[in-house]
Amino acid sequence: MSASNEANERCIKSGKMNISFGIPSSRFLEMLLYAKLLVFSVVPAAIAASPKLFTFNIVNAEVAPDGFTRDAVVVNGKFPGPVVAVNKGDSVKIETNNKLTNPHMRRSTSIHWHGFFQARTSGMDGPS
């Protein structure tokens, strides 16, 4: 039995408490390291696993950005369109619904993305 264990045994038998504020044991430090690794590896993965969801309804509307009214194709009925605010590394899912109805305009549409890094999804970037 080591000297510190003997001292602890004497304190226990005498009813006195022996509190030590020394360096934490290597086992404690090892467990603390594993706990930190678990938290810092699982939490970001869980956050990144759920993509940011957006819905774009492509519709006809009349706009007058320069004071002269004209027919236009807009997203969600607004001009300018919505801001897609995401962070680097986020997954993004944008549902796009073609709701164009004006018979005097083309009713087919495609969307081309600027500023999005599209790893392994280049077929989703505009007309293929």
Side-chain angles (χ1 to χ4, degrees), residues 55-59 95-100 109:
T55 301
F56 286 0
N57 292 312
I58 312 301
V59 298
E95 179 183 331
T96 307
N97 302 307
N98 183 352
K99 296 186 175 186
L100 297 174
T109 189

Side-chain angles (χ1 to χ4, degrees), residues 11-78:
C11 288
I12 291 170
K13 287 178 185 175
S14 68
K16 295 179 182 174
M17 188 178 286
N18 183 15
I19 299 175
S20 174
F21 293 101
I23 299 173
S25 70
S26 62
R27 179 71 180 145
F28 173 77
L29 292 174
E30 184 180 341
M31 289 172 45
L32 185 62
L33 176 64
Y34 284 135
K36 284 183 180 180
L37 288 174
L38 180 66
V39 168
F40 289 120
S41 63
V42 172
V43 172
I47 292 169
S50 59
K52 309 287 186 197
L53 304 175
F54 297 91
T55 301
F56 286 0
N57 292 312
I58 312 301
V59 298
N60 296 106
E62 288 186 349
V63 297
D66 57 358
F68 297 95
T69 303
R70 65 183 66 98
D71 289 330
V73 175
V74 297
V75 177
N76 296 339
K78 297 178 183 174

Side-chain angles (χ1 to χ4, degrees), residues 52 54 56 81-87 92 94 113 116:
K52 309 287 186 197
F54 297 91
F56 286 0
V83 174
V84 178
V86 294
N87 297 310
V92 179
I94 301 175
W113 307 106
F116 280 88

